[in-house]
Each structure stands twice: as C-alpha cells, then as structure tokens.
C-alpha cells in the first residue's frame, strides 16, 4: 500500500487547502478514501459524530500534478485512512506560497501522512517543512461502513438562498437558540425559524427554485400531486448548520437541500471540482 | 515582558534602566537594559555614590493598561516621564500629550530583591545569529498553542526546529512538524555538531515579535540540554536578554532527527519499504481485539509490525528516527534557573555564588 502525491500549482494548492478547511470545520476526525482517480472525505453517521454525516468527493486530477496510489490489493485498489482534518489544514495553512507540496504515506513509528512543503527562501536551498500527520489505516473488513450514502426519499428539494446571507442569519440565530427549524416547499419558499420562551424569529426566503430530480420509481410524480405550498420541516442542531455555512469559503456552483420531514436534512454543495454532501439528522 | 511574568521589576542602574521579568516557574527570565542615551533625561538617583539605587516591582497589568495601544500612543503622546518616589511609595508615569493634556498615572510598587538569573553566554558551546524575520518565518509553522520546540543541528550545517512531543503523550496521535533551515539563512552559525536543545516557544515568541518590530538580529546561545539557553538582542542603546530553561534528557538521541539531509526531497523511488503492507497484513490476520466502539479508532499498536522488520525500515530513503525507543520514558526535568541572591551589582557571576536549587541527579555532564 503506498501513496504519493504532489501539488505544484499555487491555485490548486489554495483550492485544496480551502476544501480541507471546510472539512476540518465539519469533522474532528474523518476518513480519507483514496482511489486512483478520486479522493473522498467521509464522516459516517455514528452517534459519536452527533449523527451528522458527510461525503465529500474530489477528482485528484484537478489538484495534483502527481498522484500515485497503490491500494491494499489489486482488486481492492483503494486506501482508507482515518485522520484529523485539522492537522492537514494546519500543515497546509503556512504553505500558501510554497514551491511544491508533497504528500506521502509512511510508517515509521506509526502510519503517518507526511506533508512536505518546499518554501522559497533567500538562501541557496529551499526551506523544507515536514508535517507528519498520524493516520489510522482502516482494514478492508470495515470499508463497508463508509459507503456513499444514498439520497434520502425527500419531501422537498430546494435550492439554498445565497450562502452568505444564510450564514449571517443563522449566526445571529445561534445566539438565541440551540435548534433551528428549516422548512421549505415545492414553490421555492424556505423559512428558517427559531423559537424560545422569550422570542421567536423567522426569516423567509422566496423564489429560490426547486431542483428537478429525475423521477425514478414514480415517487416524484406523486410529488406533483402534492400540495406545492405545503412545507416540509425538520428541526436540527443550529451549530451544525452554522459550521457547514461558515466553512464555505467560496460560493458553490449549486447549493441545495433535501428535506425529509422530521427526519433529516441533506445538503448538497457542488463546485466545479468538488462535491460536498452533509446530512444533519432532525432532533426528535 | 508581559508574556513572561506578571510583575515588572524596575532597576535603575548607572548603566541604564533595567526592566526585568521572570515567570512563575522560574524557567524564563528577561531583561531589557536601556542605556542612559536612550532617554532624553536619565537620573538614576541615589543619595550618594555608594548608596544603593532603589529597585521595585510593579504589576504588569498596570503598565500594560497605560501602554496598551501603540498607535494611539504614537499619535498623541509627546513625552513620557517616569518618576520613582520611594518615600511617597509611588511610581509615577506621566504622559505629556497633544493639546496640553497630561495624563498622570500613580502606580504602587513593592520593594524587591534584585532579580538576576545566573547565566553566562561565554560558557555556551553553540551560537546562532539570524535576522528576526527568518526565525519568525520558521516559528509560524508551529501551532500557536505549542509549548515546546527542539532546535537541532543536522548534516550540511542545517538547523532544524521540531515540535517536542512528550513521551507521555501517545506518539501516534500527535502531529510532528519539522523545519529545516540552511546555514546561509543565518548571519553566523557556530554550533557543536549533533547538538540539540528543547525550550519553550511561548516566551520566545514574545521576544521574537519585539525583535521583528525593531528589526534587530537575534543571537541564540545554547549549550547542553538542561543548561539555560540565552537569546540576545543588541543595539546601541538597548541590550536585551531572554534566558530560558531547557529540557534535559537522559537519552541524548530520543528526539533528535536522524542524519539524512533533506536539502532536496528525495525522488520517488521503489525503495519505499512496504512496511505498510505488512502492517496491514498483520492487522488483517490478527483476530484483532474487537475495537469496541463501532467507529474505527487509531489501530492498536499491539501487532507492532514496525519492530518486527527493522531492516526494511532502515532501507527507507529518507530521514527516520533511530530504532526503537526504549521503554523507560526520559525523566522530564526543566531545571530552574539558578537565582542567586546577588546583592552586588555587576556582571552575572558564574557558578561560584549560585545557590543550587535543583541538584543535578543525572550524569549528563
């Protein structure tokens, strides 16, 4: 099992760092899955994570100049690693003007992802900073725990309002309540509500648009019969929503959420080279 | 100085005004000596040539409050008068500002013994001098909360900085960051080969920001682990010393990186020892303690594949630690600086007058 990769282009490095920063906000520990063509950051919905789960997928070709990977075995050409994205974020943080960043999987005292940053310096040789990030290697028998979650059978799917606006609304609401209700309907309307003993606040968004989902087993056709005005709502932990929004440093190409009333909210944020799905379960 | 201690010691001397601080564990000491020429007017006082000059200490917070905002001080303050009135028990700080405004602060003080750490830069085997900017750029790669860092020497004259991981902390859980600086980034390098020293980054960062702001090169003097490390800044009217206790280690090579140079990253090579594969094999085959919680945690080290194939590890192309670290963790000891009760002014004197606070119980010297 081996892994080596290199980024030379500063724009790619920046973009990659931003993605890692977003992931670091959402998960203290997560799984990095490496395949020949993609990288995945996965957080599974264990109780320890508060039930939230995440699936982030990027094509390595969009970021790395060199990428070599050999998985556990020929027919299972993948590597699953457990790590703290915060470590990776810190390692890349001071690499913003690097000449090159190399990553490699090593095992000296324990498995590590070694990030080596080559920095320009006034002297004849470059400055090298290495960060050894401890990782846990996930054995093949556990890989099933980390499969891509399927899109839930949602009641409403709606495009999100401008994330910047949504973020500032949610941040202020966070000061008043621990829970927030997201509700939306198939007429492009969404409300964010909080309610406490002292105060209730609702922010209304309209004309958001509802994404068209290809109907699979006719379940969507029944949606057309459904009342377009009827709201599907779910009450979720406001902190999780705030972290998701705070982590977005660049506006996604597409941002939408799927609501299964009273069960779960599924956020999908799509950028050109990376897709992020985040599931927040509803509070009973 | 406020990054070091909670009290500021003021000592007017014939050679200038000395401001000093020490931390609560007596493992860091700093002194700033402003020569008389630094001031528009300097009268150290004293009733006669033989009378001892008055010294005192004040709460750091009181002074910080007065000098809090540098930009606004620069804009509005024309002159600052510092007056020590022993009989009135007051330290007066008077700021003469624009528009005829005078702000007078009367601070209380406490009389105190002379604060002097015993150290001697001449006795340090190694010395480095670098522009503050280079050191600041080096330190930035380490997390702000990091406590200790090890400075070491490597082949090709390279100098390394590495975060120090306590042995009690699980090494498999802590990120290790290491930075290599080439010799020519320094203004001068005179170090004993293979030497290394571990010190606390926090107090050093304070001095580093001062050095950067005043654009002065920083000189680092150090000796064996356990002996104090001294940082100095010099300019025509200011002499700064920061003395830090260092970690003494029983195992001289427990933390030092091994000797392969990293002036260039090695080209990808097939010698990459697939110890990971054997590690994985060991994990697959062993029944494995059913790691209780369903989410996988860092794998247990019980299979210890690393120890079972030391040969392959050594073939790996780049720097690696020396073999297995023995079981007994080194006894961590930050030696207190020796604070003598030095009544006579003058140069810090070496060993003879010091009061030994902590006996050297390991035979490192």
């Amino acid at each position: 099992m081996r892994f080596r990769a290199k980024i030379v282009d500063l724009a790619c490095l920046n973009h990659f760092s931003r993605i890692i920063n977003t992931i670091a906000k959402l998960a203290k520990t997560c799984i990095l899955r490496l395949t020949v063509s993609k990288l995945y950051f996965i957080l599974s919905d264990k109780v320890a994570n508060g039930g939230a789960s995440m699936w982030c997928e990027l094509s390595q070709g969009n970021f790395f100049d060199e990428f070599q990977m050999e998985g556990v075995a020929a027919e299972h050409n993948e590597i699953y690693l457990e790590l703290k994205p915060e470590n990776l974020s810190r390692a890349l943080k001071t690499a913003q003007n690097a000449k090159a960043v190399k990553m490699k999987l090593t095992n000296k005292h324990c498995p590590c992802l070694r990030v080596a940053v080559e920095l320009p310096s006034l002297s004849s040789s470059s400055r090298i900073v290495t960060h050894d990030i401890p990782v846990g290697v996930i054995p093949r028998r556990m890989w099933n725990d980390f499969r891509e979650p399927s899109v839930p059978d949602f009641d409403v799917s709606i495009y999100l309002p401008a994330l910047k606006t949504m973020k500032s609304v949610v941040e202020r609401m966070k000061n008043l309540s621990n829970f927030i209700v997201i509700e939306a309907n198939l007429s492009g309307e969404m409300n964010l509500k909080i309610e406490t003993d002292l105060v209730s606040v609702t922010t209304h968004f309209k004309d958001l648009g509802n994404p068209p989902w290809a109907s699979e087993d006719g379940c969507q056709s029944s949606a057309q019969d459904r009342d377009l005005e009827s709201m599907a709502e779910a009450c979720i932990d406001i902190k999780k929503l705030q972290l998701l929004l705070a982590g977005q440093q660049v506006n996604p190409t597409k941002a939408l959420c799927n609501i299964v009333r009273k069960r779960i909210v599924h956020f999908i944020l799509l950028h050109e080279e990376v897709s992020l799905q985040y599931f927040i379960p509803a509070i009973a | 100085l406020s990054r070091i201690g909670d009290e500021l010691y003021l000592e007017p001397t014939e050679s200038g005004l000395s401001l000093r601080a020490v931390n609560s564990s007596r493992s860091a000491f700093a002194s700033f000596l402003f020569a008389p020429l630094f001031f528009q007017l300097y009268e150290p006082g004293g009733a006669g040539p033989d009378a001892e000059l008055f010294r005192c200490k004040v709460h750091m917070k009181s002074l910080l409050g007065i000098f809090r905002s540098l930009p606004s001080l620069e804009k509005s303050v024309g002159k600052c008068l510092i007056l020590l009135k022993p009989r009135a028990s007051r330290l007066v700080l008077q700021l003469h500002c624009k528009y005829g405004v005078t702000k007078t602060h009367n601070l209380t003080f406490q009389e105190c013994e002379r604060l002097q750490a015993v150290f001697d830069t001449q006795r340090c085997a190694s010395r480095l001098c670098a522009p503050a900017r280079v050191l600041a750029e080096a330190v930035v790669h380490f997390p702000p909360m990091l406590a200790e860092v090890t400075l070491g020497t490597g082949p090709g004259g390279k100098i390394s900085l590495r975060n120090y991981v306590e042995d009690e902390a699980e090494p498999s859980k802590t990120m290790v960051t290491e930075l290599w600086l080439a010799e020519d980034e320094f203004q001068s390098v005179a170090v004993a080969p293979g030497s290394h020293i571990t010190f606390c980054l926090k107090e050093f960062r304070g001095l580093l920001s001062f050095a950067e702001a005043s654009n002065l090169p920083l000189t680092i003097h150090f000796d064996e682990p356990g002996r104090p490390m001294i940082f100095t800044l010099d300019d025509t009217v200011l002499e700064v010393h920061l003395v830090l206790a260092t970690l003494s280690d029983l195992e001289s090579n427990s933390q030092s990186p091994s000797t392969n140079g990293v002036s260039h990253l090695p080209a990808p090579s097939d010698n990459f020892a697939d110890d990971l594969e054997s590690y994985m094999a060991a994990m697959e085959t062993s029944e494995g303690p059913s790691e209780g919680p369903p989410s996988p945690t860092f794998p247990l080290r019980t299979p210890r594949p690393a120890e079972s194939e030391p040969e392959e590890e050594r073939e790996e192309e780049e720097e690696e630690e020396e073999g297995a670290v023995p079981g007994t963790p080194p006894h961590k000891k930050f030696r207190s600086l020796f604070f003598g009760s030095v009544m006579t002014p003058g140069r810090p004197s070496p060993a003879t007058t010091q009061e030994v606070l902590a006996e050297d119980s390991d035979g490192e010297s």
Side-chain angles (χ1 to χ4, degrees):
Chain A
M1 183 171 46
R2 54 191 282 179
F3 167 60
R4 264 179 211 276
K6 178 164 137 177
I7 302 181
V8 166
D9 180 75
L10 274 185
C12 293
L13 178 61
N14 257 311
H15 195 174
F16 189 69
S17 304
R18 269 186 267 121
I19 295 170
I20 304 297
N21 292 342
T22 305
I23 304 288
K25 283 214 148 67
L26 295 175
K28 253 184 82 175
T29 305
C30 74
I31 305 295
L32 168 60
R33 172 183 169 200
L34 301 165
T35 67
V36 165
S37 53
K38 290 191 180 206
L39 285 93
Y40 303 80
F41 291 94
I42 307 167
L43 181 68
S44 64
D45 59 350
K46 302 286 192 287
V47 173
N49 303 325
S53 57
M54 166 189 74
W55 180 271
C56 176
E57 191 173 310
L58 22 118
S59 296
Q60 61 90 347
N62 288 325
F63 300 91
F64 295 90
D65 292 279
E66 283 170 30
F67 192 91
Q68 298 160 30
M69 192 223 83
E70 259 170 49
V72 170
E75 62 278 7
H76 299 282
N77 197 19
E78 305 191 2
I79 300 177
Y80 283 64
L81 301 171
E82 183 182 47
L83 53 68
K84 293 194 163 109
E86 172 63 31
N87 284 340
L88 190 51
S89 180
R90 273 208 338 241
L92 296 174
K93 192 160 147 198
T94 50
Q96 296 315 305
N97 60 337
K99 284 156 81 168
V101 173
K102 294 191 188 181
M103 283 185 230
K104 174 174 123 134
L105 200 50
T106 67
N107 182 18
K108 286 190 273 190
H109 295 309
C110 59
C112 275
L113 185 65
R114 164 166 284 207
V115 178
V117 181
E118 194 183 333
L119 293 160
S121 77
L122 292 177
S123 89
S124 51
S125 47
S126 307
R127 247 178 239 165
I128 310 272
V129 186
T130 56
H131 302 269
D132 283 336
I133 300 171
V135 296
V137 180
I138 306 293
R140 204 176 346 132
R141 64 172 186 271
M142 288 174 138
W143 289 5
N144 272 331
D145 290 352
F146 306 108
R147 276 173 305 185
E148 179 168 6
S150 42
V151 177
D153 190 11
F154 52 80
D155 297 304
V156 167
S157 177
I158 187 168
Y159 287 114
L160 295 177
L163 290 192
K164 207 166 132 197
T165 311
M166 202 173 164
K167 179 170 105 147
S168 63
V169 166
V170 172
E171 263 172 16
R172 277 160 189 67
M173 287 181 164
K174 186 166 85 93
N175 296 330
L176 299 169
S177 167
N178 290 330
F179 306 107
I180 187 172
V181 171
I182 298 191
E183 61 176 21
N185 63 20
L186 290 166
S187 306
E189 292 172 341
M190 174 191 276
N191 299 329
L192 297 175
K193 302 195 294 198
I194 55 158
E195 193 167 323
T196 68
D197 292 338
L198 293 174
V199 65
S200 67
V201 183
T202 307
T203 304
H204 305 267
F205 297 93
K206 52 187 194 170
D207 296 329
L208 294 173
N210 301 90
W213 284 81
S215 63
E216 287 173 354
D217 51 345
C219 63
Q220 294 303 328
S221 59
S222 64
Q224 270 138 28
D225 305 334
R226 225 178 286 166
D227 177 11
L228 292 181
E229 307 283 324
S230 121
M231 290 278 181
E233 67 164 54
C235 177
I236 59 174
D237 178 343
I238 202 172
K239 187 112 199 293
K240 294 198 162 51
L241 178 59
Q242 189 259 331
L243 284 175
L244 173 67
L245 297 170
Q248 296 306 304
Q249 294 165 311
V250 178
N251 271 328
T253 323
K254 272 205 169 74
L256 57 111
C257 77
N258 300 325
I259 304 177
V260 179
R261 89 179 11 107
K262 292 193 174 28
R263 292 278 315 282
I264 198 163
V265 184
H266 173 210
F267 293 90
I268 304 181
L269 301 168
L270 295 172
H271 299 254
E272 266 167 39
E273 296 105 7
V274 58
S275 73
L276 174 66
Q277 296 180 58
Y278 193 56
F279 297 77
I280 308 182
I283 314 279
Chain B
L1 285 169
S2 68
R3 305 266 206 122
I4 307 226
D6 294 327
E7 290 175 323
L8 184 90
Y9 289 70
L10 270 134
E11 186 172 343
T13 69
E14 291 302 329
S15 42
L17 177 64
S18 180
L19 301 180
R20 301 171 185 205
V22 69
N23 70 355
S24 51
S25 53
R26 309 301 250 203
S27 60
F29 163 88
S31 83
F32 284 70
L33 177 65
F34 293 92
L37 277 178
F38 178 83
F39 303 96
Q40 232 177 13
L41 168 74
Y42 181 69
E43 282 167 11
D50 297 327
E52 219 173 69
L53 295 173
F54 192 80
R55 348 168 239 279
C56 67
K57 58 180 180 176
V58 282
H59 284 301
M60 198 68 77
K61 284 208 167 76
S62 329
L63 284 169
L64 280 177
I66 301 170
F67 293 99
R68 187 193 322 276
S69 161
L70 267 181
S72 76
L73 285 176
E74 278 172 8
K75 266 196 300 199
S76 56
V77 178
K79 272 199 304 210
C80 171
L81 173 66
I82 306 175
L83 203 53
L84 192 50
K85 292 182 168 176
R87 275 178 305 235
S89 302
R90 286 283 180 271
L91 174 69
V92 180
L93 265 113
Q94 203 172 60
L95 301 174
H96 294 254
C97 312
K98 282 201 303 209
Y99 313 120
V101 173
T102 306
K103 297 188 201 175
T104 307
H105 300 266
N106 291 296
L107 305 175
T108 52
F109 59 74
Q110 263 185 288
E111 286 184 46
C112 58
E113 289 289 312
R114 182 160 189 238
L115 180 72
Q116 178 64 62
V118 179
F119 60 93
D120 185 357
T121 56
Q122 303 297 324
R123 289 185 63 195
C124 289
S126 304
R127 198 190 69 236
L128 292 166
C129 182
R133 180 195 47 86
V134 169
L135 294 171
E137 284 170 5
V139 154
V140 83
H141 298 284
F142 296 90
M145 289 290 110
L146 176 68
E148 289 132 17
V149 93
T150 303
L151 176 74
T153 54
K158 284 188 181 275
I159 306 292
S160 77
L161 266 181
R162 184 176 205 263
N163 62 319
Y164 175 76
V165 179
E166 288 185 13
D167 295 296
E168 292 92 65
E170 258 199 68
S172 63
K173 297 236 165 123
T174 323
M175 177 160 130
V176 173
T177 299
E178 184 162 32
L179 163 77
W180 290 90
L181 294 168
E183 202 172 340
D184 56 6
E185 299 225 55
F186 292 83
Q187 287 172 344
S188 81
V189 176
V191 294
S195 56
H196 67 277
I197 192 128
T198 302
F199 61 96
C200 195
L201 200 53
K202 176 177 155 226
E203 284 106 5
F204 175 58
R205 281 186 202 262
L207 181 69
L208 194 53
S209 349
F210 182 86
E212 258 195 304
S214 46
N215 212 6
L216 292 170
L218 200 58
T219 306
I220 307 176
H221 305 261
F222 64 97
D223 201 63
E224 289 165 8
R227 300 201 54 77
M229 190 170 180
I230 304 135
F231 302 82
T232 59
L233 286 176
D234 273 296
D235 132 322
T236 44
V237 288
L238 177 61
E239 240 179 71
V240 186
H241 288 93
L242 170 68
V243 187
L244 295 181
T246 62
L247 191 63
S248 70
D249 46 17
L250 290 181
E251 294 166 23
S252 59
N253 64 351
S254 62
Q255 289 298 327
S256 62
S258 174
T259 52
N260 288 326
V262 264
S263 53
H264 59 90
L265 289 175
S269 109
D270 287 331
N271 284 341
F272 181 102
D274 271 315
D275 32 54
L276 267 170
E277 214 167 71
S278 9
Y279 181 81
M280 285 293 294
M283 283 192 64
E284 302 271 346
T285 54
S286 72
E287 264 323 297
S290 60
E291 289 157 27
S295 76
T297 54
F298 288 109
L300 297 181
R301 285 155 58 81
T302 38
R304 295 225 185 250
E307 282 172 11
S308 63
E309 49 246 52
E311 306 315 310
E312 284 147 299
E313 261 197 298
R314 273 191 207 112
E315 271 159 28
E316 196 173 342
E317 68 277 25
E318 49 226 327
E319 67 289 311
E320 38 180 51
E321 312 289 330
E322 263 82 307
V325 176
T328 339
H331 178 52
K332 174 177 171 169
K333 248 172 31 176
F334 261 101
R335 291 246 216 98
S336 293
L337 297 173
F338 298 122
F339 282 92
S341 183
V342 181
M343 293 308 288
T344 55
R347 306 304 314 156
S349 55
T352 49
T353 55
Q354 70 195 19
E355 182 195 331
V356 176
L357 300 174
E359 207 66 39
D360 174 10
S361 59
D362 52 289
E364 52 143 325
S365 47

